[in-house]
Amino acid sequence: MTPTTRSLAPIDRNDLRRLGVLAAQTEASLFARHPHGAGRYTGRLLCRALCQGAALHFLDGMNGVKDFDVWSFYAARDDGPFPYRWRGTADFGPSKFGRYPGDPLSYTGRRVDFLGRSLPVPPDADPAAALRDYLSTTHTATAKALAAKAVILISPDQSVGERIWPYRTSLQVSFSDQTPLMMSSKNRLMAGGDDSAPRAACPGAPGPVPAVGVAGCPH
């Protein structure tokens, strides 16, 4: 299949489930490698969601898919947040979406980026309500960037395809991720930036690690 910058192929619920499987596999590997860091969040998953430009494409069929951004949201623990600097990646594999021509040749399909956050709710909280509350009341760079586009549930399975955001039709949503504002927001998300979190946090550790850079972190 000829590589294209953006695929206009429709995203269906089977595609969302495929993204959920990839996210679960990637995070299981992360937890196994760092049982005392990110692994503390085993069993505390609230939901997973497709976000950013691909989520807009799920809704309007016009934005196009450059890559997939999948976010996992966990019930927070008292001993520290989910590692906000962590970012995982995977290959969606050969599909109707083709591949992005700028990705390494090792990718046979669209790139999938995985990120996560912990929310201040109990593990049995309603996932949709918890996520909508986060998007509407939290004033971090991450929450603002995600709320500027669309958020579609990937899990739990009974809610696959549910639109979490925009929640009301009166909300103004940008249907292009080419604007300088949103490109800079996504770059911050990919870099792990969040104005609510300590800047020296270690990716796999329970909390901040003073005077240790991310590249040299033992976790």
Side-chain angles (χ1 to χ4, degrees):
M1 181 177 293
T2 302
T4 56
T5 301
R6 288 181 180 274
S7 170
L8 293 177
I11 301 172
D12 60 36
R13 283 169 174 75
N14 286 332
D15 299 321
L16 297 180
R17 291 187 176 95
R18 164 73 174 156
L19 292 169
V21 169
L22 291 173
Q25 292 172 344
T26 302
E27 289 168 23
S29 176
L30 171 70
F31 292 172
R33 295 194 310 272
H34 309 294
H36 303 297
R40 297 170 300 121
Y41 277 86
T42 299
R44 299 183 70 85
L45 179 70
L46 294 168
C47 61
R48 292 190 175 96
L50 178 65
C51 302
Q52 300 284 318
L56 284 180
H57 185 68
F58 178 82
L59 293 178
D60 71 5
M62 297 184 295
N63 187 75
V65 177
K66 178 182 176 182
D67 53 26
F68 295 100
D69 296 307
V70 175
W71 286 73
S72 295
F73 297 92
Y74 290 85
R77 291 174 54 101
D78 293 334
D79 58 355
F82 183 89
Y84 75 95
R85 287 185 183 271
W86 174 75
R87 173 193 170 194
T89 59
D91 184 351
F92 190 84
S95 74
K96 60 188 175 184
F97 302 110
R99 63 180 299 276
Y100 179 66
D103 280 335
L105 294 178
S106 58
Y107 279 81
T108 60
R110 296 281 163 175
R111 188 182 75 249
V112 186
D113 293 316
F114 305 107
L115 301 98
R117 287 294 185 273
S118 45
L119 306 183
V121 297
D124 61 352
D126 177 77
L131 189 46
R132 286 188 179 116
D133 184 66
Y134 169 72
L135 294 169
S136 61
T137 65
T138 306
H139 301 294
T140 65
T142 295
K144 290 177 181 178
L146 295 182
K149 295 200 175 180
V151 178
I152 305 296
L153 279 187
I154 290 175
S155 69
D157 190 66
Q158 66 269 24
S159 301
V160 171
E162 179 180 346
R163 185 180 73 176
I164 294 297
W165 202 265
Y167 186 41
R168 297 182 178 87
T169 56
S170 61
L171 290 174
Q172 297 298 311
V173 179
S174 168
F175 282 89
S176 170
D177 58 1
Q178 293 301 300
T179 64
L181 172 62
M182 290 315 302
M183 288 300 290
S184 62
S185 296
K186 180 167 182 177
N187 287 341
R188 286 199 302 273
L189 297 182
M190 293 297 100
D194 192 327
D195 54 10
S196 69
R199 297 299 179 185
C202 176
V209 180
V212 177
V214 172
C217 175
H219 299 278

PDB file of all heavy atoms in Angstrom, residues 140-171:
ATOM      1  N   THR A 140      -4.437  21.531  33.774  1.00  0.00           N
ATOM      2  CA  THR A 140      -3.077  21.207  33.362  1.00  0.00           C
ATOM      3  C   THR A 140      -2.963  21.306  31.846  1.00  0.00           C
ATOM      4  O   THR A 140      -3.959  21.307  31.123  1.00  0.00           O
ATOM      5  CB  THR A 140      -2.690  19.787  33.795  1.00  0.00           C
ATOM      6  OG1 THR A 140      -3.526  18.855  33.098  1.00  0.00           O
ATOM      7  CG2 THR A 140      -2.861  19.596  35.296  1.00  0.00           C
ATOM      8  N   ALA A 141      -1.726  21.361  31.362  1.00  0.00           N
ATOM      9  CA  ALA A 141      -1.506  21.412  29.915  1.00  0.00           C
ATOM     10  C   ALA A 141      -2.075  20.176  29.232  1.00  0.00           C
ATOM     11  O   ALA A 141      -2.646  20.253  28.140  1.00  0.00           O
ATOM     12  CB  ALA A 141      -0.006  21.538  29.629  1.00  0.00           C
ATOM     13  N   THR A 142      -1.928  19.012  29.877  1.00  0.00           N
ATOM     14  CA  THR A 142      -2.435  17.772  29.290  1.00  0.00           C
ATOM     15  C   THR A 142      -3.945  17.802  29.146  1.00  0.00           C
ATOM     16  O   THR A 142      -4.491  17.524  28.073  1.00  0.00           O
ATOM     17  CB  THR A 142      -2.027  16.571  30.158  1.00  0.00           C
ATOM     18  OG1 THR A 142      -0.606  16.446  30.143  1.00  0.00           O
ATOM     19  CG2 THR A 142      -2.650  15.284  29.634  1.00  0.00           C
ATOM     20  N   ALA A 143      -4.652  18.130  30.222  1.00  0.00           N
ATOM     21  CA  ALA A 143      -6.114  18.146  30.176  1.00  0.00           C
ATOM     22  C   ALA A 143      -6.621  19.150  29.149  1.00  0.00           C
ATOM     23  O   ALA A 143      -7.567  18.875  28.400  1.00  0.00           O
ATOM     24  CB  ALA A 143      -6.676  18.463  31.559  1.00  0.00           C
ATOM     25  N   LYS A 144      -5.986  20.310  29.084  1.00  0.00           N
ATOM     26  CA  LYS A 144      -6.411  21.328  28.122  1.00  0.00           C
ATOM     27  C   LYS A 144      -6.196  20.861  26.692  1.00  0.00           C
ATOM     28  O   LYS A 144      -7.042  21.075  25.820  1.00  0.00           O
ATOM     29  CB  LYS A 144      -5.644  22.626  28.379  1.00  0.00           C
ATOM     30  CG  LYS A 144      -6.034  23.337  29.668  1.00  0.00           C
ATOM     31  CD  LYS A 144      -5.182  24.580  29.877  1.00  0.00           C
ATOM     32  CE  LYS A 144      -5.550  25.288  31.176  1.00  0.00           C
ATOM     33  NZ  LYS A 144      -4.690  26.481  31.406  1.00  0.00           N
ATOM     34  N   ALA A 145      -5.053  20.224  26.429  1.00  0.00           N
ATOM     35  CA  ALA A 145      -4.764  19.760  25.071  1.00  0.00           C
ATOM     36  C   ALA A 145      -5.727  18.656  24.646  1.00  0.00           C
ATOM     37  O   ALA A 145      -6.211  18.636  23.512  1.00  0.00           O
ATOM     38  CB  ALA A 145      -3.322  19.269  24.981  1.00  0.00           C
ATOM     39  N   LEU A 146      -6.026  17.728  25.553  1.00  0.00           N
ATOM     40  CA  LEU A 146      -6.950  16.648  25.213  1.00  0.00           C
ATOM     41  C   LEU A 146      -8.367  17.181  25.015  1.00  0.00           C
ATOM     42  O   LEU A 146      -9.083  16.747  24.108  1.00  0.00           O
ATOM     43  CB  LEU A 146      -6.934  15.581  26.306  1.00  0.00           C
ATOM     44  CG  LEU A 146      -5.615  14.823  26.490  1.00  0.00           C
ATOM     45  CD1 LEU A 146      -5.757  13.767  27.580  1.00  0.00           C
ATOM     46  CD2 LEU A 146      -5.153  14.187  25.191  1.00  0.00           C
ATOM     47  N   ALA A 147      -8.774  18.138  25.844  1.00  0.00           N
ATOM     48  CA  ALA A 147     -10.124  18.689  25.745  1.00  0.00           C
ATOM     49  C   ALA A 147     -10.299  19.564  24.509  1.00  0.00           C
ATOM     50  O   ALA A 147     -11.427  19.836  24.094  1.00  0.00           O
ATOM     51  CB  ALA A 147     -10.451  19.494  27.002  1.00  0.00           C
ATOM     52  N   ALA A 148      -9.208  20.004  23.906  1.00  0.00           N
ATOM     53  CA  ALA A 148      -9.303  20.847  22.715  1.00  0.00           C
ATOM     54  C   ALA A 148      -9.702  20.051  21.481  1.00  0.00           C
ATOM     55  O   ALA A 148     -10.025  20.636  20.445  1.00  0.00           O
ATOM     56  CB  ALA A 148      -7.973  21.555  22.466  1.00  0.00           C
ATOM     57  N   LYS A 149      -9.674  18.718  21.593  1.00  0.00           N
ATOM     58  CA  LYS A 149     -10.033  17.890  20.436  1.00  0.00           C
ATOM     59  C   LYS A 149     -11.156  16.930  20.819  1.00  0.00           C
ATOM     60  O   LYS A 149     -12.205  17.362  21.253  1.00  0.00           O
ATOM     61  CB  LYS A 149      -8.800  17.183  19.920  1.00  0.00           C
ATOM     62  CG  LYS A 149      -7.785  18.191  19.377  1.00  0.00           C
ATOM     63  CD  LYS A 149      -6.803  17.566  18.458  1.00  0.00           C
ATOM     64  CE  LYS A 149      -5.908  18.652  17.869  1.00  0.00           C
ATOM     65  NZ  LYS A 149      -4.915  18.072  16.961  1.00  0.00           N
ATOM     66  N   ALA A 150     -10.935  15.638  20.656  1.00  0.00           N
ATOM     67  CA  ALA A 150     -11.983  14.666  20.957  1.00  0.00           C
ATOM     68  C   ALA A 150     -11.397  13.513  21.752  1.00  0.00           C
ATOM     69  O   ALA A 150     -10.196  13.241  21.692  1.00  0.00           O
ATOM     70  CB  ALA A 150     -12.628  14.146  19.674  1.00  0.00           C
ATOM     71  N   VAL A 151     -12.262  12.836  22.510  1.00  0.00           N
ATOM     72  CA  VAL A 151     -11.861  11.692  23.327  1.00  0.00           C
ATOM     73  C   VAL A 151     -12.930  10.612  23.164  1.00  0.00           C
ATOM     74  O   VAL A 151     -14.108  10.850  23.442  1.00  0.00           O
ATOM     75  CB  VAL A 151     -11.716  12.085  24.811  1.00  0.00           C
ATOM     76  CG1 VAL A 151     -11.357  10.868  25.651  1.00  0.00           C
ATOM     77  CG2 VAL A 151     -10.656  13.178  24.980  1.00  0.00           C
ATOM     78  N   ILE A 152     -12.506   9.428  22.714  1.00  0.00           N
ATOM     79  CA  ILE A 152     -13.416   8.318  22.438  1.00  0.00           C
ATOM     80  C   ILE A 152     -12.973   7.105  23.254  1.00  0.00           C
ATOM     81  O   ILE A 152     -11.806   6.704  23.192  1.00  0.00           O
ATOM     82  CB  ILE A 152     -13.402   7.945  20.938  1.00  0.00           C
ATOM     83  CG1 ILE A 152     -13.709   9.170  20.068  1.00  0.00           C
ATOM     84  CG2 ILE A 152     -14.374   6.803  20.666  1.00  0.00           C
ATOM     85  CD1 ILE A 152     -15.091   9.750  20.271  1.00  0.00           C
ATOM     86  N   LEU A 153     -13.891   6.496  23.991  1.00  0.00           N
ATOM     87  CA  LEU A 153     -13.524   5.352  24.822  1.00  0.00           C
ATOM     88  C   LEU A 153     -13.131   4.138  23.981  1.00  0.00           C
ATOM     89  O   LEU A 153     -13.764   3.822  22.974  1.00  0.00           O
ATOM     90  CB  LEU A 153     -14.671   4.964  25.748  1.00  0.00           C
ATOM     91  CG  LEU A 153     -14.842   5.780  27.039  1.00  0.00           C
ATOM     92  CD1 LEU A 153     -15.924   5.148  27.902  1.00  0.00           C
ATOM     93  CD2 LEU A 153     -13.536   5.896  27.817  1.00  0.00           C
ATOM     94  N   ILE A 154     -12.074   3.468  24.435  1.00  0.00           N
ATOM     95  CA  ILE A 154     -11.623   2.200  23.863  1.00  0.00           C
ATOM     96  C   ILE A 154     -11.961   1.057  24.810  1.00  0.00           C
ATOM     97  O   ILE A 154     -12.275  -0.051  24.393  1.00  0.00           O
ATOM     98  CB  ILE A 154     -10.105   2.252  23.608  1.00  0.00           C
ATOM     99  CG1 ILE A 154      -9.796   3.209  22.454  1.00  0.00           C
ATOM    100  CG2 ILE A 154      -9.536   0.871  23.323  1.00  0.00           C
ATOM    101  CD1 ILE A 154      -8.317   3.402  22.222  1.00  0.00           C
ATOM    102  N   SER A 155     -11.876   1.329  26.098  1.00  0.00           N
ATOM    103  CA  SER A 155     -12.262   0.364  27.121  1.00  0.00           C
ATOM    104  C   SER A 155     -12.861   1.137  28.284  1.00  0.00           C
ATOM    105  O   SER A 155     -12.560   2.324  28.449  1.00  0.00           O
ATOM    106  CB  SER A 155     -11.046  -0.456  27.589  1.00  0.00           C
ATOM    107  OG  SER A 155     -10.142   0.353  28.319  1.00  0.00           O
ATOM    108  N   PRO A 156     -13.751   0.514  29.078  1.00  0.00           N
ATOM    109  CA  PRO A 156     -14.136  -0.897  29.076  1.00  0.00           C
ATOM    110  C   PRO A 156     -14.893  -1.303  27.811  1.00  0.00           C
ATOM    111  O   PRO A 156     -15.435  -0.453  27.107  1.00  0.00           O
ATOM    112  CB  PRO A 156     -15.022  -1.020  30.323  1.00  0.00           C
ATOM    113  CG  PRO A 156     -15.535   0.363  30.560  1.00  0.00           C
ATOM    114  CD  PRO A 156     -14.445   1.287  30.137  1.00  0.00           C
ATOM    115  N   ASP A 157     -14.915  -2.609  27.564  1.00  0.00           N
ATOM    116  CA  ASP A 157     -15.404  -3.109  26.284  1.00  0.00           C
ATOM    117  C   ASP A 157     -16.851  -2.719  26.007  1.00  0.00           C
ATOM    118  O   ASP A 157     -17.220  -2.453  24.865  1.00  0.00           O
ATOM    119  CB  ASP A 157     -15.258  -4.632  26.226  1.00  0.00           C
ATOM    120  CG  ASP A 157     -15.517  -5.171  24.824  1.00  0.00           C
ATOM    121  OD1 ASP A 157     -14.717  -4.853  23.922  1.00  0.00           O
ATOM    122  OD2 ASP A 157     -16.525  -5.877  24.630  1.00  0.00           O
ATOM    123  N   GLN A 158     -17.681  -2.677  27.056  1.00  0.00           N
ATOM    124  CA  GLN A 158     -19.091  -2.344  26.831  1.00  0.00           C
ATOM    125  C   GLN A 158     -19.285  -0.886  26.420  1.00  0.00           C
ATOM    126  O   GLN A 158     -20.370  -0.496  25.987  1.00  0.00           O
ATOM    127  CB  GLN A 158     -19.929  -2.635  28.082  1.00  0.00           C
ATOM    128  CG  GLN A 158     -19.611  -1.762  29.285  1.00  0.00           C
ATOM    129  CD  GLN A 158     -18.550  -2.360  30.180  1.00  0.00           C
ATOM    130  OE1 GLN A 158     -17.749  -3.176  29.727  1.00  0.00           O
ATOM    131  NE2 GLN A 158     -18.553  -1.983  31.454  1.00  0.00           N
ATOM    132  N   SER A 159     -18.215  -0.089  26.525  1.00  0.00           N
ATOM    133  CA  SER A 159     -18.322   1.332  26.185  1.00  0.00           C
ATOM    134  C   SER A 159     -17.495   1.713  24.962  1.00  0.00           C
ATOM    135  O   SER A 159     -17.304   2.899  24.693  1.00  0.00           O
ATOM    136  CB  SER A 159     -17.876   2.183  27.381  1.00  0.00           C
ATOM    137  OG  SER A 159     -18.669   1.919  28.519  1.00  0.00           O
ATOM    138  N   VAL A 160     -16.994   0.725  24.223  1.00  0.00           N
ATOM    139  CA  VAL A 160     -16.159   1.011  23.052  1.00  0.00           C
ATOM    140  C   VAL A 160     -16.905   1.931  22.083  1.00  0.00           C
ATOM    141  O   VAL A 160     -18.047   1.662  21.703  1.00  0.00           O
ATOM    142  CB  VAL A 160     -15.756  -0.289  22.328  1.00  0.00           C
ATOM    143  CG1 VAL A 160     -15.085   0.021  21.000  1.00  0.00           C
ATOM    144  CG2 VAL A 160     -14.834  -1.107  23.198  1.00  0.00           C
ATOM    145  N   GLY A 161     -16.261   3.026  21.718  1.00  0.00           N
ATOM    146  CA  GLY A 161     -16.851   3.966  20.775  1.00  0.00           C
ATOM    147  C   GLY A 161     -17.657   5.074  21.418  1.00  0.00           C
ATOM    148  O   GLY A 161     -18.126   5.981  20.713  1.00  0.00           O
ATOM    149  N   GLU A 162     -17.810   5.052  22.743  1.00  0.00           N
ATOM    150  CA  GLU A 162     -18.574   6.116  23.410  1.00  0.00           C
ATOM    151  C   GLU A 162     -17.814   7.435  23.340  1.00  0.00           C
ATOM    152  O   GLU A 162     -16.625   7.494  23.636  1.00  0.00           O
ATOM    153  CB  GLU A 162     -18.842   5.756  24.868  1.00  0.00           C
ATOM    154  CG  GLU A 162     -19.613   6.838  25.625  1.00  0.00           C
ATOM    155  CD  GLU A 162     -19.874   6.478  27.079  1.00  0.00           C
ATOM    156  OE1 GLU A 162     -19.696   5.302  27.446  1.00  0.00           O
ATOM    157  OE2 GLU A 162     -20.245   7.382  27.854  1.00  0.00           O
ATOM    158  N   ARG A 163     -18.511   8.479  22.956  1.00  0.00           N
ATOM    159  CA  ARG A 163     -17.893   9.803  22.888  1.00  0.00           C
ATOM    160  C   ARG A 163     -17.866  10.415  24.286  1.00  0.00           C
ATOM    161  O   ARG A 163     -18.896  10.714  24.869  1.00  0.00           O
ATOM    162  CB  ARG A 163     -18.663  10.724  21.940  1.00  0.00           C
ATOM    163  CG  ARG A 163     -17.981  12.080  21.760  1.00  0.00           C
ATOM    164  CD  ARG A 163     -18.745  12.974  20.818  1.00  0.00           C
ATOM    165  NE  ARG A 163     -19.967  13.486  21.433  1.00  0.00           N
ATOM    166  CZ  ARG A 163     -20.789  14.353  20.843  1.00  0.00           C
ATOM    167  NH1 ARG A 163     -20.543  14.764  19.615  1.00  0.00           N
ATOM    168  NH2 ARG A 163     -21.875  14.774  21.462  1.00  0.00           N
ATOM    169  N   ILE A 164     -16.662  10.614  24.800  1.00  0.00           N
ATOM    170  CA  ILE A 164     -16.496  11.257  26.094  1.00  0.00           C
ATOM    171  C   ILE A 164     -16.405  12.768  25.929  1.00  0.00           C
ATOM    172  O   ILE A 164     -16.943  13.533  26.723  1.00  0.00           O
ATOM    173  CB  ILE A 164     -15.216  10.730  26.788  1.00  0.00           C
ATOM    174  CG1 ILE A 164     -15.379   9.245  27.129  1.00  0.00           C
ATOM    175  CG2 ILE A 164     -14.898  11.532  28.046  1.00  0.00           C
ATOM    176  CD1 ILE A 164     -16.496   8.957  28.114  1.00  0.00           C
ATOM    177  N   TRP A 165     -15.735  13.185  24.858  1.00  0.00           N
ATOM    178  CA  TRP A 165     -15.517  14.614  24.620  1.00  0.00           C
ATOM    179  C   TRP A 165     -15.434  14.863  23.124  1.00  0.00           C
ATOM    180  O   TRP A 165     -14.826  14.058  22.429  1.00  0.00           O
ATOM    181  CB  TRP A 165     -14.207  15.037  25.303  1.00  0.00           C
ATOM    182  CG  TRP A 165     -14.128  16.493  25.590  1.00  0.00           C
ATOM    183  CD1 TRP A 165     -13.541  17.457  24.815  1.00  0.00           C
ATOM    184  CD2 TRP A 165     -14.656  17.168  26.729  1.00  0.00           C
ATOM    185  NE1 TRP A 165     -13.667  18.676  25.401  1.00  0.00           N
ATOM    186  CE2 TRP A 165     -14.351  18.537  26.587  1.00  0.00           C
ATOM    187  CE3 TRP A 165     -15.364  16.753  27.863  1.00  0.00           C
ATOM    188  CZ2 TRP A 165     -14.721  19.486  27.529  1.00  0.00           C
ATOM    189  CZ3 TRP A 165     -15.729  17.688  28.801  1.00  0.00           C
ATOM    190  CH2 TRP A 165     -15.408  19.036  28.634  1.00  0.00           C
ATOM    191  N   PRO A 166     -16.073  15.915  22.607  1.00  0.00           N
ATOM    192  CA  PRO A 166     -16.852  16.922  23.326  1.00  0.00           C
ATOM    193  C   PRO A 166     -18.159  16.345  23.871  1.00  0.00           C
ATOM    194  O   PRO A 166     -18.810  15.536  23.205  1.00  0.00           O
ATOM    195  CB  PRO A 166     -17.117  17.989  22.271  1.00  0.00           C
ATOM    196  CG  PRO A 166     -17.020  17.267  20.966  1.00  0.00           C
ATOM    197  CD  PRO A 166     -15.994  16.198  21.163  1.00  0.00           C
ATOM    198  N   TYR A 167     -18.506  16.765  25.082  1.00  0.00           N
ATOM    199  CA  TYR A 167     -19.663  16.209  25.775  1.00  0.00           C
ATOM    200  C   TYR A 167     -20.945  16.917  25.372  1.00  0.00           C
ATOM    201  O   TYR A 167     -22.001  16.309  25.286  1.00  0.00           O
ATOM    202  CB  TYR A 167     -19.442  16.312  27.278  1.00  0.00           C
ATOM    203  CG  TYR A 167     -20.497  15.640  28.128  1.00  0.00           C
ATOM    204  CD1 TYR A 167     -21.025  14.402  27.760  1.00  0.00           C
ATOM    205  CD2 TYR A 167     -20.950  16.232  29.296  1.00  0.00           C
ATOM    206  CE1 TYR A 167     -21.980  13.778  28.543  1.00  0.00           C
ATOM    207  CE2 TYR A 167     -21.897  15.609  30.084  1.00  0.00           C
ATOM    208  CZ  TYR A 167     -22.417  14.389  29.708  1.00  0.00           C
ATOM    209  OH  TYR A 167     -23.356  13.775  30.492  1.00  0.00           O
ATOM    210  N   ARG A 168     -20.842  18.216  25.110  1.00  0.00           N
ATOM    211  CA  ARG A 168     -22.006  18.991  24.689  1.00  0.00           C
ATOM    212  C   ARG A 168     -21.714  19.610  23.333  1.00  0.00           C
ATOM    213  O   ARG A 168     -20.598  20.038  23.059  1.00  0.00           O
ATOM    214  CB  ARG A 168     -22.328  20.087  25.709  1.00  0.00           C
ATOM    215  CG  ARG A 168     -22.706  19.539  27.084  1.00  0.00           C
ATOM    216  CD  ARG A 168     -23.059  20.664  28.031  1.00  0.00           C
ATOM    217  NE  ARG A 168     -23.466  20.164  29.334  1.00  0.00           N
ATOM    218  CZ  ARG A 168     -22.631  19.891  30.320  1.00  0.00           C
ATOM    219  NH1 ARG A 168     -21.338  20.077  30.142  1.00  0.00           N
ATOM    220  NH2 ARG A 168     -23.072  19.441  31.473  1.00  0.00           N
ATOM    221  N   THR A 169     -22.717  19.678  22.497  1.00  0.00           N
ATOM    222  CA  THR A 169     -22.508  20.177  21.139  1.00  0.00           C
ATOM    223  C   THR A 169     -22.133  21.645  21.112  1.00  0.00           C
ATOM    224  O   THR A 169     -21.620  22.138  20.119  1.00  0.00           O
ATOM    225  CB  THR A 169     -23.778  19.978  20.295  1.00  0.00           C
ATOM    226  OG1 THR A 169     -24.890  20.614  20.952  1.00  0.00           O
ATOM    227  CG2 THR A 169     -24.071  18.502  20.115  1.00  0.00           C
ATOM    228  N   SER A 170     -22.381  22.374  22.214  1.00  0.00           N
ATOM    229  CA  SER A 170     -22.046  23.794  22.241  1.00  0.00           C
ATOM    230  C   SER A 170     -20.555  24.026  22.412  1.00  0.00           C
ATOM    231  O   SER A 170     -20.058  25.123  22.199  1.00  0.00           O
ATOM    232  CB  SER A 170     -22.793  24.497  23.384  1.00  0.00           C
ATOM    233  OG  SER A 170     -22.422  23.932  24.635  1.00  0.00           O
ATOM    234  N   LEU A 171     -19.804  22.969  22.800  1.00  0.00           N
ATOM    235  CA  LEU A 171     -18.371  23.122  22.982  1.00  0.00           C
ATOM    236  C   LEU A 171     -17.694  23.347  21.642  1.00  0.00           C
ATOM    237  O   LEU A 171     -18.037  22.736  20.638  1.00  0.00           O
ATOM    238  CB  LEU A 171     -17.780  21.875  23.649  1.00  0.00           C
ATOM    239  CG  LEU A 171     -18.156  21.674  25.111  1.00  0.00           C
ATOM    240  CD1 LEU A 171     -17.615  20.339  25.592  1.00  0.00           C
ATOM    241  CD2 LEU A 171     -17.615  22.793  25.975  1.00  0.00           C
TER     242      LEU A 171
END
